[in-house]
Amino acid sequence: NAYGYYLVTTPEDIGNVIRTRRRKLGYTQEEVAAFNQCSPRFLGELERGKNGANIKLVLQIANSLGIDFYMGIRGDEDW
């Protein structure tokens, strides 16, 4: 994506963004997991979009890779 924005609607979408960014930065799953104090298995499951991920840890990992999350409200301009 040329703009750096991705529509995220599934756990797989989140995992794809995290995996792509990790690889672009040249980090292994083990390095990112160690930095975020989680297991490489957790990170691998997150990157594959497995359900049940701890949202706090997901956001922490994303943040450590320089990924920001934005939320938009569809169809409600008065929100």
Side-chain angles (χ1 to χ4, degrees):
N1 170 320
Y3 301 104
Y5 295 101
Y6 303 88
L7 179 62
V8 174
T9 59
T10 67
E12 290 84 5
D13 294 338
I14 294 172
N16 286 332
V17 171
I18 288 174
R19 180 187 312 107
T20 300
R21 179 68 174 167
R22 174 184 60 76
R23 288 178 175 169
K24 181 174 182 171
L25 293 173
Y27 294 123
T28 66
Q29 284 183 339
E30 290 76 15
E31 290 169 327
V32 173
F35 182 80
N36 288 284
Q37 300 178 346
C38 68
S39 70
R41 179 180 175 180
F42 175 88
L43 185 58
E45 289 178 357
L46 171 61
E47 289 184 356
R48 289 189 304 279
K50 297 288 184 183
N51 291 324
N54 174 323
I55 190 66
K56 184 176 180 179
L57 188 51
V58 171
L59 292 174
Q60 177 183 317
I61 290 168
N63 185 52
S64 77
L65 294 170
I67 299 169
D68 296 321
F69 278 83
Y70 297 90
M71 299 175 104
I73 306 297
R74 288 188 312 272
D76 188 357
E77 294 180 19
D78 294 329
W79 193 85

